[in-house]
Amino acid sequence: MAADPLLLAEVPIFSLLDAEERETLVGLLERQSFKEGDVIFRTGDHPEALYVIADGRVELFIHDDAGRKIALDELGPTDVVGEVSFMDGGPRTASSAALAPTTLLRFERESLLEFVTRHPHAALDLMTMMGKRLRSADEMLRHTVVQNANIVEDDFLTFGQRIADRVASFGGSWTFILTFGGVLVTWIGVNVILMSKPFDPYPFILLNLVLSMLAALQAPVIMMSQNRQSAKDRLNSDLDFKVNQKAELEIAHLHKKVDQLYEVVQEHWAERVKEHRTASQGKPANDYY
């Protein structure tokens, strides 16, 4: 069954194509089905095609040096898988697998040339959308990985949690200690010295009742605040993990780029040495004197 041109209109990198170009593209797409857990492609594979998700879910992931799986993204209908390697011809930078029964529309690299030959203007449309996606991804990496835990937490605080924080903050301050101490001294002084008929005579049973009620109410409120502090510590740990994970991936990427540059330099140097030796062998003997 052929792809639906209306579906392609919702795919970001094909959104600038006109109706005629989408009709041509439909004829170049091949429908493929994957079961849950099936691998679509692996890191390092040759980019033979890109895939448009028609139905189902796809996960992008990599493995670190220790073999641990790191999930990068989860994609759904109208999302595109493998477009970067498809465009630049480089090896796959991540692996992908189906998270559920999934239907993909496969677009071969060989078909791209045919499509662009028939619709030259479409090449500019594809490049424009790819540039927008790369800029968006770069902006996301710049601003969403390193986050302030206090700001992230404040976005999810309920009214009760805010009250608990304020009560715990006030209960642990010198203002509370001095104020409450003044109330106790005044209470005792009024009942012992200033009143012939005290309303709470020694041993101050009413005062003990008030203190017990205050402690019974204050203790769970403080516990709520302490539990939220533990959640905040876990949030800090999660954000630190994301930062460390990004730094590790960036360092690995830099290592790969340095290795590639080293190989290019070595190849260039070997060619220069070979050319120099060839030129030296072709010179007359008297040139060396």
Side-chain angles (χ1 to χ4, degrees):
M1 183 172 57
D4 185 0
L6 296 179
L7 174 66
L8 297 182
E10 300 177 6
V11 177
I13 66 171
F14 299 141
S15 60
L16 294 181
L17 302 180
D18 58 31
E20 181 182 355
E21 292 168 343
R22 285 196 293 270
E23 286 290 345
T24 302
L25 184 60
V26 164
L28 300 175
L29 297 179
E30 177 187 353
R31 186 177 292 265
Q32 289 187 330
S33 298
F34 294 85
K35 296 181 295 183
E36 181 178 354
D38 285 352
V39 176
I40 301 170
F41 54 77
R42 301 181 185 277
T43 303
D45 286 353
H46 180 70
E48 299 177 350
L50 67 75
Y51 301 88
V52 178
I53 303 176
D55 185 29
R57 306 292 297 176
V58 172
E59 180 185 39
L60 293 178
F61 61 92
I62 61 173
H63 289 91
D64 61 15
D65 293 337
R68 294 186 299 266
K69 178 181 176 181
I70 301 176
L72 300 178
D73 201 0
E74 183 177 324
L75 306 175
T78 72
D79 285 330
V80 178
V81 184
E83 70 276 16
V84 176
S85 298
F86 177 82
M87 290 297 181
D88 66 9
R92 301 289 189 186
T93 57
S95 302
S96 67
L99 295 177
T102 301
T103 302
L104 302 180
L105 303 177
R106 179 185 174 96
F107 186 28
E108 297 280 350
R109 277 184 59 85
E110 289 76 7
S111 301
L112 177 63
L113 179 59
E114 179 183 350
F115 177 67
V116 172
T117 301
R118 296 172 63 179
H119 301 283
H121 186 267
L124 182 60
D125 293 338
L126 293 176
M127 292 176 61
T128 300
M129 293 308 302
M130 284 295 300
K132 289 182 178 179
R133 295 196 64 177
L134 291 175
R135 287 179 180 274
S136 177
D138 181 69
E139 193 70 15
M140 181 183 65
L141 287 175
R142 289 178 183 273
H143 299 289
T144 62
V145 175
V146 181
Q147 302 179 65
N148 189 329
N150 295 318
I151 296 176
V152 174
E153 186 191 34
D154 286 343
D155 293 338
F156 298 96
L157 283 181
T158 63
F159 177 76
Q161 290 173 331
R162 296 180 189 276
I163 294 297
D165 284 349
R166 294 192 178 185
V167 170
S169 177
F170 178 71
S173 65
W174 279 106
T175 301
F176 173 78
I177 294 174
L178 296 176
T179 302
F180 198 66
V183 171
L184 292 179
V185 171
T186 302
W187 186 298
I188 295 173
V190 167
N191 284 279
V192 172
I193 301 172
L194 301 180
M195 296 184 63
S196 56
K197 293 182 179 181
F199 64 89
D200 185 23
Y202 181 84
F204 312 113
I205 297 176
L206 181 58
L207 177 61
N208 288 327
L209 176 62
V210 172
L211 292 177
S212 298
M213 293 176 63
L214 179 63
L217 293 174
Q218 192 178 30
V221 172
I222 294 176
M223 288 292 293
M224 288 172 58
S225 181
Q226 289 179 345
N227 290 337
R228 202 178 59 72
Q229 183 62 42
S230 299
K232 184 177 179 180
D233 292 339
R234 288 194 296 272
L235 177 61
N236 270 316
S237 299
D238 291 340
L239 294 177
D240 289 343
F241 172 76
K242 289 182 180 180
V243 173
N244 293 335
Q245 186 182 72
K246 181 190 175 185
E248 183 177 356
L249 293 175
E250 290 291 343
I251 291 172
H253 182 67
L254 288 175
H255 274 297
K256 184 177 180 179
K257 289 294 185 183
V258 170
D259 290 340
Q260 292 175 348
L261 289 174
Y262 178 76
E263 291 175 0
V264 171
V265 171
Q266 288 293 98
E267 292 176 0
H268 181 70
W269 180 254
E271 291 177 358
R272 292 293 300 274
V273 171
K274 184 178 180 180
E275 291 175 358
H276 178 70
R277 289 178 177 175
T278 302
S280 299
Q281 292 174 358
K283 287 184 178 181
N286 57 4
D287 286 350
Y288 293 95
Y289 298 96

